[in-house]
Amino acid sequence: TNDETESYTTIQAAIDGTDAGGTITAAAGTYVENVSLDAKTNLTIQGAGDTTIIEPASGIGFAIKNSSGITIKNLKIHTTGTDAHGIWVAGTPNSGAAMSGLTVQDTTIIVDGYSSGIYGEQVDTTPHSGWLISGNVITINPGAGTTGDGMDLHDVSSSEVSYNTITLNTPTESTNVLWTSELSNLSSLAFSNNTVSGSSGSEIAFITDFITSSDSTISTVTVSNNTFSNWGSRALKFEGSVTGAV
């Protein structure tokens, strides 16, 4: 249902039928669908906790493009396979504009395979910004012998990742959180009060130009009050033109 008291049989239909500023409440149940948000503004999608399950047969759980002010909270996302990210935000490689305002809160994300719980694509010149990823439980399990990353945040600036539990089970070439500058310069990144477990190399990595070679920079990174365990080579890594890390 949405806050206009209209009822729908799928989350996608509710999104398509809800205006900017609206709230969609998904009842308990399993929704076998790939949810898409394209050119949406100030929309909240909320569930009834782990009993509201978005579980596509294959592919991405939530795909977001050219949208802003989106909140996803209090539900469960379960995806399986390669490039079957829990939440994916389009960037320059897929003709997506920078996304201002993404909140992912109090949500369980389980990925079985070589995919990320949350993936933000790199974006040219103006970065994504104003993201809050907080209070989530993100678990990445192997699929066909390979695990993905908990989060891949490319060109996400002025944002906070906090109070999450991020676990990689049997990791292979996997990082819990990879936060990189690619086509844009980043600043004011906060990573705090998270519980992080499992990696094949670094658990948390702040890196410039991981995918591209654009001489981008990262400044003012705050890392505080996190708990790290079961890392491969290290808990925390800074690489490239990263300054002002505390």
Side-chain angles (χ1 to χ4, degrees):
T1 62
N2 62 17
D3 52 7
E4 298 170 349
T5 68
E6 296 179 84
S7 295
Y8 300 89
T9 58
T10 66
I11 294 173
Q12 187 64 62
I15 289 170
D16 295 343
T18 302
D19 295 331
T23 297
I24 295 164
T25 300
T30 299
Y31 298 82
V32 184
E33 55 181 306
N34 305 99
V35 181
S36 175
L37 294 95
D38 194 347
K40 290 293 182 177
T41 304
N42 299 333
L43 201 64
T44 294
I45 303 157
Q46 62 186 13
D50 281 353
T51 57
T52 300
I53 305 168
I54 289 79
E55 192 171 46
S58 63
I60 294 167
F62 283 87
I64 304 172
K65 183 176 180 180
N66 295 329
S67 298
S68 62
I70 302 300
T71 295
I72 297 170
K73 66 179 183 178
N74 204 30
L75 45 77
K76 181 178 181 179
I77 304 166
H78 182 201
T79 62
T80 302
T82 299
D83 293 330
H85 311 297
I87 298 171
W88 174 83
V89 178
T92 299
N94 283 281
S95 302
M99 182 175 188
S100 175
L102 171 65
T103 297
V104 182
Q105 196 165 27
D106 300 331
T107 288
T108 297
I109 302 175
I110 300 172
V111 174
D112 299 328
Y114 190 56
S115 306
S116 298
I118 300 173
Y119 192 103
E121 276 195 326
Q122 62 268 32
V123 63
D124 196 12
T125 309
T126 301
H128 306 293
S129 63
W131 290 20
L132 173 63
I133 302 171
S134 185
N136 306 289
V137 177
I138 300 174
T139 304
I140 311 297
N141 299 312
T146 307
T147 51
D149 295 341
M151 301 183 204
D152 289 304
L153 305 178
H154 304 305
D155 289 337
V156 178
S157 191
S158 302
S159 295
E160 175 183 328
V161 175
S162 60
Y163 296 98
N164 303 284
T165 298
I166 310 161
T167 304
L168 306 184
N169 291 319
T170 319
T172 52
E173 301 182 9
S174 305
T175 300
N176 298 72
V177 177
L178 177 62
W179 203 332
T180 76
S181 63
E182 302 294 343
L183 303 175
S184 301
N185 297 326
L186 310 184
S187 63
S188 301
L189 312 185
F191 187 85
S192 63
N193 298 290
N194 299 284
T195 300
V196 183
S197 178
S199 71
S200 55
S202 306
E203 291 192 322
I204 311 301
F206 295 90
I207 301 176
T208 59
D209 305 318
F210 181 76
I211 299 172
T212 64
S213 300
S214 62
D215 296 321
S216 62
T217 63
I218 299 175
S219 62
T220 316
V221 180
T222 302
V223 179
S224 62
N225 300 319
N226 301 286
T227 301
F228 300 96
S229 64
N230 301 318
W231 56 79
S233 56
R234 63 187 68 83
L236 183 62
K237 180 179 182 178
F238 298 96
E239 182 176 290
S241 299
V242 181
T243 60
V246 295

